[in-house]
Structure formats: structure tokens, C-alpha cells
Amino acid sequence: TKPKEPELPLFFGWFLLPEEEERIKCATMDFLKTLDTLEAFKEHISEFTGEAEKAVDLEQYFQNPLPLHCTTKFCDYGKTEGAKAYAELQVVKESLAKSDELSVTALIVTPRTFGARVALTETQMKLWPEGADKEGVAPTLLPSVEALPAGSRAHVTLGCAAGVEAVQTGLDLLEILALQKEGKEGTQVEMDLGTLSYLSEGRWFLTLREPITADTNFSSFSE
Ligand code: 2AM
């Protein structure tokens, strides 16, 4: 009998160490608390609630069941294209269980997702699959995404609105980056953490004054 093939995971990614996870959760929750008190945010509240006068508690609005991580390759236990090839890459095998530091440079909030943009280093880019940025991107958005630097989609999902899948965070981030590139930024508000800008339809982008770094382990994840 043939030896059984090693099973492929749900996904690979960088996982925040538990104490780092707590620190990032606290910092980002503080940001949400401040955000939903801002006049600029309240003006656009209907984009979250569907009603003009209703308040929203963003901390309750976004839920996150998974440990905090930055996905590199979604394998879906081998069902996605290139899953096996990725798992077999020398760089992937060598990186497993190794620690690495991620740099968060921005936060995004939309009616669907709450996420942290990650700036990948050249070394980290070796673990970022070719073409990962445009996977599942709507045809209308594709040209703008192709014009962005590779790795632009890298992020940590901090939370999703009820009924929204985590994969949406990367898509929301790409949409925001594309709008920014077109110069479509509206209102800007200075906050302690950095500059907040509004990009229509309930999309908010906070450029951090100082990047937030977090220690991680590269690992696979299966449920
Ligand atoms: P995320 O990377 O935006 O958080 C398990 O669902 C993990 O795999 C989540 O972290 C999720 O999104 C990511 N994921 C799910 N489907 C995906 C897809 N089609 N492409 C890329 N990442 C995906």
C-alpha cells in the first residue's frame, strides 16, 4: 500500500503569540470605542445600521472566532488551487513553527469587516503565494488590484459582522486601497493612533502614526 499523503490544512499563516493577541485586541478595541463616538463616524452611521438615528456598538458588531493571524495560503484541506504545491514549498516547510514579527500599518473598518493591514517584508513575501492578492476578486476591481504592489492584501481579520465570512476582510482592504489610489479619500480626522479617512459606503481607513508590531509563529491551521 502507498504511504498516506500528509493531509493539507485549512490554511497557513502567521499566528500572533497569545500575549501579543491580547495586546492587539485591547489596542484595536480602544480604537473601535473611540470611532463610534466620532461625529464624522456618526454622520455615516446609517451605512452600518440601515437607519440614520440608531447607534452602533462596534465592539459587539464585530465577532471573531479564530485566533488572530495573517493568512498566507487558504488550502481548504487541499480543495483550493495550488494548495499542495504551496505546502510542499521548501520555504514553507522551513518556516513552520518559526517565529517572525509582523508590522501592522493601518486599520480598516467597513460595515462587513474590521481588519489590520500588514506590511510584509521581502523575506515574508517569499511565503506570500503568487497571485494571492487577486484571488476571488470581482472582475470590476481586478485591474485596480493588479496595479497595487504584491502583498497589498496581507491583513489580520480582527472581526466580522454577523453572517460575513473572514475572506471579506482582504477584499474590503483591496477595495479601500484601490479607492485611495484613485484619490477618492473624503473626510480626514486626526486621532491619537493616526489619521482616519473615509472612503464612501461606510469604509474607514486609519493610517497608524507608528506601526504596531506583533510577534507571531508561522503555522498551519485545521479545525
Ligand atoms: P482572512 O484571512 O481574511 O481572515 C479561515 O477561514 C481563514 O482563511 C480566515 O482567516 C480567512 O480569511 C481565510 N480565508 C477563507 N477563505 C479564503 C479565501 N478564499 N482566500 C483567502 N483566504 C481565505
Side-chain angles (χ1 to χ4, degrees), residues 31-70:
F31 162 69
L32 283 190
K33 248 183 247 171
T34 313
L35 182 63
D36 60 19
T37 65
L38 291 183
E39 279 313 314
F41 182 79
K42 285 189 195 161
E43 271 173 39
H44 297 282
I45 200 79
S46 64
E47 288 148 22
F48 280 79
T49 58
E51 291 169 57
E53 295 306 320
K54 224 171 134 192
V56 59
D57 180 350
L58 291 177
E59 286 173 279
Q60 302 285 323
Y61 186 88
F62 294 114
Q63 298 297 324
N64 181 20
L66 288 180
L68 292 188
H69 67 276
C70 173

Side-chain angles (χ1 to χ4, degrees), residues 10-11 66 69 71 74 155 157 166-167 169:
L10 181 59
F11 64 93
L66 288 180
H69 67 276
T71 307
F74 180 65
H155 67 277
T157 295
V167 65
T169 317

Side-chain angles (χ1 to χ4, degrees), residues 59-190:
E59 286 173 279
Q60 302 285 323
Y61 186 88
F62 294 114
Q63 298 297 324
N64 181 20
L66 288 180
L68 292 188
H69 67 276
C70 173
T71 307
T72 54
K73 176 71 185 172
F74 180 65
C75 295
D76 200 9
Y77 308 106
K79 281 185 233 136
T80 62
E81 208 185 309
K84 187 162 182 274
Y86 182 83
E88 284 171 356
L89 287 176
Q90 196 59 28
V91 64
V92 169
K93 291 192 218 162
E94 278 169 7
S95 304
L96 283 171
K98 287 224 180 103
S99 56
D100 203 348
E101 190 185 75
L102 286 188
S103 176
V104 170
T105 56
L107 300 179
I108 68 157
V109 176
T110 79
R112 297 164 297 281
T113 64
F114 177 35
R117 183 186 194 189
V118 173
L120 298 177
T121 63
E122 257 176 66
T123 315
Q124 290 165 347
M125 277 304 290
K126 297 200 166 81
L127 288 164
W128 191 251
E130 177 109 35
D133 291 292
K134 48 185 189 180
E135 221 162 276
V137 168
T140 45
L141 186 64
L142 208 48
S144 329
V145 170
E146 282 168 341
L148 295 170
S152 291
R153 187 176 181 160
H155 67 277
V156 176
T157 295
L158 298 167
C160 293
V164 174
E165 305 265 13
V167 65
Q168 188 62 43
T169 317
L171 301 171
D172 283 356
L173 172 60
L174 290 172
E175 215 172 69
I176 286 177
L177 297 177
L179 288 167
Q180 268 183 337
K181 216 175 159 187
E182 289 167 31
K184 298 256 170 74
E185 268 164 310
T187 322
Q188 299 220 337
V189 184
E190 288 307 320

